[in-house]
Amino acid sequence: MNVKAEQLSLTYGKHDALKQVDFELDSNKIYGLLGRNGAGKTSLLSIIASFLKPSSGKLTINGEVPFEHAEIMQQVALLYNKDYQDETDSIKDTLSNIERYRPQFDRNYADDLVKKFKLDVNKPINKLSKGMQAALNVTIGLATRAPITIFDEVYLGMDAPARELFYKALLKDQEEHPRMVILSTHLVSEMDYLFDDVLLIHEGNILLHEGYHSLIEKGVSITGDVAVVDSFVQGKTVLRTEQLGDTKSVMLYGGLDEDEEQLAISEGLQIGPVALQDLFIHLTEEEQR
Amino acid sequence: MKKPLIFLKVTKDLFVVQLMWALGFLGVMLAIHTIKIVINYTQGHEVESYYHSIFVANHIFMLIIGIIVITFLPYCVELGVTRRDYYKGTFLATLGLSFVIPTLTTFVTKVEQLIFRYLAIPTKEMTINEIILDIDRDFIGDIVQSAIISPFVDPQTNPWLAIFVFSIHALIYYLVGWLISASFRHHMIVGLLSIAVSIILIRLEDLLFRVSLDLPLPSGPLTMDFLPSSVAGLGIVLIIGLLAWLIRQLTKNMAIKI
C-alpha cells in the first residue's frame, strides 16, 4: 500500500489543523505518529480513513483518492477511543457485524484475542469498563487485518499488562500478516520499540519523517566540563542544556560523524544516546519557542 | 470478479433493525388498541379499527426512526462503507419498511374485522378526511392537521390503495426525519431551515394527496383543486424525489468527527 499526501490542508473555521502537509508511506511497516495535543494527528488519520475530506491538497492511497472510493475504504481501518455509552450490542454480535463488512476479518483470531483480554463476549459493550472497551477496539483493529490499520490513541484506557499483551500481539501479527500500521500515541517511551518509522507532527506540519533507528542516532547527549562542552557544541543544534556545578550536559540533534566522536572522546566528553521521548519533547518545544 | 454489493448488506441490516423496532411499536399499539376495544365495548360504544389507530401514530414513529438513522452513517464509514452505499442501503430499507408496516397493519385490521363481525361488535365509521372541513383553520392548525389527519383511504373499501397511501405517508415522514437530523449535523441554522422546509413539503403532500384521491379539500389559497389528479400524483413523486435529493446532498461529504 502507498499513502501519499501532497500539500494536504484541513481547516476548521479559522483554525488550520493541517498546513500543506507532504509525506509518503509506502511499506508494510509500523509507523509511529507522534505529536502533542492538537498537533493534527487525528485530523490527518481521519483523512486517511475517509472520515473527513481535506480542505485542499490531495491524499491518495495506491494513487486513488480514498474518500468515497468503495474498494479503498474497505482497505483502511481506523480505531479510536470510541464512546460506547449507547452501544447495547454484545461483543459477539459486534464482531459478527464487522465480519460481514470487512473482507480480511479473521474471526478465529478475534475470538482468540477476546479470550486473551478476558472479555465477556455476551456482555453489552456499554457495560464494559473503559479498559475493556479499549481492549475490544484493539481486538477489532488487529483482527480486521486491513492493509492500512490505524490506531489513534486507542490503548489509553488499557492497564499496563493489557497494553503489553497488545504490543506483543501486534508485533507477532504484523510479522505473520504484514501490513501498514499507524500508531498515534502519547506513550512514546513505552511504544518506541514498535516503530519502524516515525512521523512527528507539530502545529499542523510534519516536522520529520524518518526511520526509528536513524532518528535515534541523530540524538546525542554530550556530558563533560562546561567549557569543553560549550566549545564542542558550537554550531550544532542544541535541544536541551543542563548544568550542575562545572558539569554540563547537552542534548544535540543532528548526530556526530566519526571525527566528531573521536574528538569528543579525546577531550574527555561522554557521549550517550537520547530516547525518542526526549527528542519528541524537545523537538516540539524547540518549535514553540 | 464480481464486486460485492455492499449497499445490499446495509439494506438488509437496516431493514432488519428497523423492522424489529416497528414490530415493537405495532405490538405495543395492538396492546393499547385491544384495551381500548374492551373498554369501549363494555361501555356500549362503537370501536375503531387497528388501521385507524396505527395510521396516525405511525407518522410519529417513522419521523423518529428517520431522525435516528443518521447515527448509522458513522457506523457504516467506520466499517469502510461509503456514504453512497449507506444512502442507497438506507433508502431501500426505508422503502421496504414503508411497505411492510401498512401491509401488516392492514392484515391485522382484516383479522380484527372478522372477529368484530363474528362477535357482532359495532365499529366506528372512519370520517378522518372530513374533519378538515370542520376545523377553524389557521397556519398552525394546518400544520397540526397535516401531521395528524393525513389523507386517508379506508382498507375496507380498497385495501391495496389504503396500503399504498399509508406507505407513501410513512415514507415521507421517514425522509423528513432523516432530512432534519442530517441538516442538524451540518449546522443548527441548516437544521432549523430543514424543519421549515419539511413542514411546507408535508403540507403540500397533504393537499396533493387530497386532489389525487378526490378527497374533501380545505378552502383557502392553497387548495390546488384546479390540478388534475395525475399532476397531483406527479407532485407527490417530486416531493419524495426532492427529499431524497436533499438528504443525499447533506450526507455525501458528511464529516465523521472523532
Side-chain angles (χ1 to χ4, degrees):
Chain A
M1 299 298 279
N2 173 279
V3 179
K4 191 174 182 184
E6 294 168 277
Q7 299 287 296
L8 188 71
S9 298
L10 182 70
T11 307
Y12 297 112
K14 288 179 182 172
H15 172 66
D16 294 325
L18 293 172
K19 301 169 187 169
Q20 299 187 322
V21 166
D22 292 287
F23 67 88
E24 188 167 5
L25 316 177
D26 58 1
S27 332
N28 288 332
K29 291 179 181 172
I30 299 179
Y31 292 88
L33 178 66
L34 311 181
R36 303 178 67 158
N37 291 331
K41 301 188 295 293
T42 299
S43 298
L44 177 59
L45 300 176
S46 295
I47 292 173
I48 297 174
S50 302
F51 281 31
L52 298 176
K53 208 174 178 182
S55 306
S56 64
K58 197 174 171 187
L59 181 114
T60 55
I61 295 177
N62 288 351
E64 304 271 4
V65 174
F67 194 85
E68 290 299 272
H69 191 300
E71 284 81 25
I72 299 285
M73 280 180 70
Q74 287 282 292
Q75 309 296 311
V76 185
L78 167 58
L79 284 305
Y80 60 97
N81 257 322
K82 196 173 172 180
D83 181 0
Y84 280 118
Q85 66 173 346
D86 297 323
E87 186 54 76
T88 52
D89 275 358
S90 66
I91 290 179
K92 197 158 77 178
D93 292 343
T94 299
L95 295 179
S96 299
N97 286 338
I98 295 168
E99 194 177 3
R100 293 185 60 241
Y101 286 93
R102 290 294 192 178
Q104 295 97 344
F105 190 81
D106 185 334
R107 182 60 190 263
N108 293 331
Y109 181 50
D111 291 339
D112 185 40
L113 288 170
V114 161
K115 276 184 202 149
K116 280 184 179 162
F117 284 117
K118 296 186 172 67
L119 302 176
D120 181 349
V121 288
N122 296 313
K123 207 169 178 179
I125 294 176
N126 60 359
K127 302 285 180 207
L128 298 174
S129 69
K130 287 280 172 205
M132 296 270 186
Q133 290 176 354
L136 173 65
N137 279 334
V138 303
T139 298
I140 293 168
L142 289 171
T144 296
R145 296 228 170 98
I148 299 177
T149 302
I150 305 168
F151 294 102
D152 184 15
E153 301 281 11
V154 80
Y155 11 72
L156 283 184
M158 294 161 75
D159 58 22
R163 291 202 301 272
E164 190 58 32
L165 211 152
F166 164 58
Y167 303 152
K168 280 183 184 164
L170 173 67
L171 287 174
K172 189 164 179 281
D173 204 53
Q174 168 71 0
E175 197 183 335
E176 290 168 4
H177 303 275
R179 55 200 192 266
M180 185 184 288
V181 176
I182 305 174
L183 301 172
S184 155
T185 186
H186 287 122
L187 305 170
V188 184
S189 60
E190 190 176 296
M191 295 177 71
D192 59 0
Y193 75 98
L194 299 170
F195 307 149
D196 295 310
D197 271 21
V198 174
L199 280 99
L200 191 53
I201 186 168
H202 189 63
E203 294 179 347
N205 297 298
I206 296 284
L207 225 55
L208 60 86
H209 173 199
E210 210 158 337
Y212 170 73
H213 292 290
S214 69
L215 177 60
I216 285 298
E217 280 171 15
K218 283 187 175 175
V220 183
S221 78
I222 303 291
T223 309
D225 183 76
V226 175
V228 181
V229 169
D230 284 342
S231 160
F232 183 81
V233 301
Q234 262 193 351
K236 295 184 170 60
T237 308
V238 176
L239 295 181
R240 186 186 66 182
T241 304
E242 284 174 341
Q243 191 173 335
L244 185 65
D246 290 338
T247 305
K248 193 171 190 176
S249 178
V250 173
M251 187 194 293
L252 296 180
Y253 181 70
L256 299 176
D257 60 28
E258 263 184 51
D259 291 343
E260 286 171 327
E261 270 187 39
Q262 288 303 322
L263 179 65
I265 292 165
S266 68
E267 288 186 347
L269 298 174
Q270 286 182 342
I271 304 171
V274 175
L276 180 61
Q277 170 141 313
D278 290 328
L279 279 176
F280 164 57
I281 292 168
H282 296 291
L283 281 170
T284 51
E285 264 183 7
E286 173 69 16
E287 281 296 305
Q288 281 195 321
R289 275 180 214 139
Chain B
M1 199 175 75
K2 200 180 170 189
K3 286 179 191 169
L5 296 171
I6 295 170
F7 76 90
L8 290 179
K9 290 185 187 176
V10 179
T11 304
K12 187 194 159 201
D13 286 355
L14 273 172
F15 179 73
V16 170
V17 167
Q18 296 181 137
L19 183 64
M20 292 300 119
W21 297 344
L23 291 176
F25 160 70
L26 293 173
V28 169
M29 289 303 291
L30 184 61
I32 294 169
H33 180 69
T34 308
I35 294 168
K36 269 172 68 183
I37 288 170
V38 172
I39 292 170
N40 284 341
Y41 182 64
T42 51
Q43 291 178 350
H45 299 140
E46 289 178 329
V47 295
E48 64 181 18
S49 74
Y50 181 64
Y51 188 93
H52 197 176
S53 301
I54 295 293
F55 186 78
V56 174
N58 191 56
H59 294 160
I60 310 300
F61 173 73
M62 293 302 277
L63 183 75
I64 290 169
I65 61 168
I67 288 171
I68 291 171
V69 81
I70 198 70
T71 60
F72 285 91
L73 176 59
Y75 176 77
C76 285
V77 174
E78 281 170 23
L79 289 172
V81 175
T82 61
R83 291 154 183 82
R84 193 188 319 110
D85 283 335
Y86 154 80
Y87 173 80
K88 281 159 73 177
T90 307
F91 194 82
L92 286 177
T94 309
L95 287 180
L97 193 70
S98 301
F99 177 72
V100 165
I101 293 177
T103 307
L104 282 174
T105 306
T106 306
F107 175 75
V108 173
T109 306
K110 286 280 178 195
V111 173
E112 181 190 57
Q113 294 303 321
L114 288 175
I115 297 168
F116 286 169
R117 256 179 239 151
Y118 181 73
L119 298 174
I121 297 172
T123 52
K124 200 185 278 181
E125 192 72 24
M126 313 274 270
T127 55
I128 199 165
N129 291 317
E130 279 74 32
I131 294 172
I132 56 155
L133 302 175
D134 306 329
I135 292 176
D136 217 6
R137 300 179 60 251
D138 57 26
F139 180 69
I140 301 295
D142 284 353
I143 294 166
V144 174
Q145 173 197 295
S146 293
I148 298 174
I149 43 177
S150 302
F152 173 88
V153 174
D154 192 338
Q156 296 305 311
T157 55
N158 189 340
W160 290 110
L161 184 61
I163 289 172
F164 175 74
V165 172
F166 194 164
S167 297
I168 297 292
H169 286 316
L171 177 63
I172 287 183
Y173 274 85
Y174 186 99
L175 293 177
V176 160
W178 194 7
L179 173 75
I180 291 171
S181 58
S183 303
F184 271 102
R185 287 237 166 181
H186 268 269
H187 197 278
M188 205 217 271
I189 303 291
V190 184
L192 293 172
L193 197 66
S194 75
I195 294 175
V197 169
S198 300
I199 289 170
I200 292 166
L201 291 178
I202 286 174
R203 183 82 191 109
L204 203 58
E205 180 247 8
D206 183 271
L207 290 169
L208 291 170
F209 245 127
R210 287 179 185 282
V211 172
S212 61
L213 295 172
D214 204 19
L215 297 173
L217 277 160
S219 57
L222 282 174
T223 60
M224 297 192 175
D225 54 357
F226 55 89
L227 284 176
S229 296
S230 56
V231 175
L234 186 66
I236 294 165
V237 174
L238 287 176
I239 288 172
I240 293 169
L242 177 63
L243 283 166
W245 180 79
L246 285 171
I247 293 163
R248 175 67 182 138
Q249 296 313 304
L250 287 163
T251 54
K252 71 178 184 183
N253 289 325
M254 189 168 272
I256 310 300
K257 288 166 191 161
I258 60 174

